[in-house]
Amino acid sequence: KTLHKTPGHFAASPGQTIGERSFYGNYQREVVYLADTVIRYSLTGGSERVANAYNSAGKLLSTLEQIWMINKWVNTRITTNTYDANNCLLTQLVQLWQNTAWINDQMITCTNDASGNCLTKTGQGWDGSGWVNQGHSDYTYDGNGNMLTELYREWDGMEWMNSSNDSCTYNENGNCLTYLNLYWDGLE
């Protein structure tokens, strides 16, 4: 199980709305209405239900995922978020349902500046007895809060190794003009 990129990485094209990019990175301060419960039906079977819970500021607190099995909804996964006093994401815990209990799977930990920008994000995986580092991102921003760079590093078991460096430039309206994604070739 490998976390290749921590959430918040430029997984979608810069400039997309929070609804398209989720709730990470600099976009975490915007509020978008999301459905409390979504049920996905499959023509080949295997219906799924996703139930969301929000805090009073409209921030996503938890997402419970279930599948329909033998005439009842069965838990599969839960994601739980915590926020600081400014409603900036601090942690995201993903747990999987095994037998009759939730088992840790992944943890994301963030640090934020006074403006609410995410400065660092660290992803860890559960190895059965403790959290193991997987990926880490450092972010920089311009004076308008636009994300300029993300340096992503992966844990090799001993140290953080550079993996990619993403950067954006913006026009005066805050629209992304250029996006550059560079990968290390392992020869540092």
Side-chain angles (χ1 to χ4, degrees):
K1 210 184 312 187
T2 302
L3 178 65
H4 295 286
K5 298 261 184 179
T6 56
H9 185 83
F10 286 114
S13 299
Q16 289 183 320
T17 67
I18 183 174
E20 295 168 302
R21 287 207 58 200
S22 189
F23 57 90
Y24 298 104
N26 188 43
Y27 302 97
Q28 66 189 3
R29 290 176 288 154
E30 298 179 31
V31 177
V32 172
Y33 174 79
L34 298 172
D36 289 339
T37 303
V38 175
I39 298 177
R40 296 181 289 233
Y41 295 97
S42 171
L43 297 176
T44 58
S47 298
E48 299 175 323
R49 177 168 68 177
V50 178
N52 297 318
Y54 302 89
N55 67 14
S56 60
K59 296 293 183 177
L60 184 64
L61 292 174
S62 65
T63 299
L64 174 63
E65 298 176 39
Q66 300 172 311
I67 58 172
W68 185 255
M69 287 181 58
I70 312 170
N71 297 323
K72 68 178 180 177
W73 290 108
V74 177
N75 294 333
T76 58
R77 174 180 155 136
I78 191 165
T79 303
T80 307
N81 300 322
T82 63
Y83 300 90
D84 64 17
N86 296 318
N87 278 311
C88 296
L89 185 67
L90 289 177
T91 63
Q92 181 179 74
L93 173 64
V94 176
Q95 296 176 302
L96 305 177
W97 186 255
Q98 292 182 2
N99 301 319
T100 59
W102 292 109
I103 305 299
N104 290 336
D105 184 46
Q106 294 183 350
M107 171 73 82
I108 305 294
T109 306
C110 304
T111 61
N112 305 287
D113 65 15
S115 298
N117 297 313
C118 178
L119 298 177
T120 66
K121 193 172 290 185
T122 303
Q124 298 176 304
W126 185 256
D127 71 357
S129 61
W131 294 107
V132 177
N133 289 333
Q134 292 180 330
H136 177 86
S137 290
D138 291 300
Y139 303 92
T140 63
Y141 300 86
D142 66 16
N144 296 319
N146 296 311
M147 188 183 302
L148 294 175
T149 64
E150 176 192 10
L151 172 62
Y152 177 74
R153 295 176 284 168
E154 294 181 353
W155 184 252
D156 73 354
M158 301 274 295
E159 63 182 324
W160 292 107
M161 302 296 292
N162 289 338
S163 178
S164 65
N165 192 8
D166 297 345
S167 61
C168 274
T169 61
Y170 300 86
N171 66 15
E172 63 279 354
N173 296 322
N175 298 314
C176 180
L177 293 176
T178 62
Y179 169 71
L180 179 63
N181 179 249
L182 301 172
Y183 286 92
W184 267 265
D185 61 6
L187 305 173
E188 294 189 53

